[in-house]
Amino acid sequence: MNQVLRVTVLIENTSDSKLACEHGLSLFIEFGEKQILLDAGSSETCAFSEEEINDLCHAFLQEGIDRIYTGHCTGTPGVEKLQSRLGSRVHRLTTGMQFSL
């Protein structure tokens, strides 16, 4: 049986629906049993309160997200906050980076 790669656009610069839009790109990627969040949106995670970050991390764990890739807008403090709660699931996107599903 062939596995289906499904990509859901969570955030993009434009929206044809009632969903919010902002500068950047956030994708939820599903492939077989793997669930990955790739977020290069412009929201600054480091500006979130500790409670908001805890809620966000809890939601990631509840959804069974295996890996999280963040863009530069998350900022080093934001990445460090996420890594302190989610460990090796959190990765920072860099130019030329490649990863496999």
Side-chain angles (χ1 to χ4, degrees), residues 25-79:
L25 180 66
S26 184
L27 304 174
F28 182 61
I29 304 166
E30 298 172 278
F31 185 68
E33 298 294 317
K34 295 184 187 267
Q35 296 181 325
I36 298 168
L37 176 66
L38 189 150
D39 183 31
S42 63
S43 299
E44 294 188 26
T45 306
C46 60
F48 290 6
S49 71
E50 291 297 315
E51 182 179 350
E52 289 171 317
I53 290 178
N54 287 336
D55 289 346
L56 181 65
C57 292
H58 180 72
F60 290 155
L61 294 172
Q62 287 287 95
E63 290 298 320
I65 294 175
D66 299 303
R67 288 182 267 173
I68 299 164
Y69 293 89
T70 65
H72 67 274
C73 291
T74 304
T76 300
V79 171

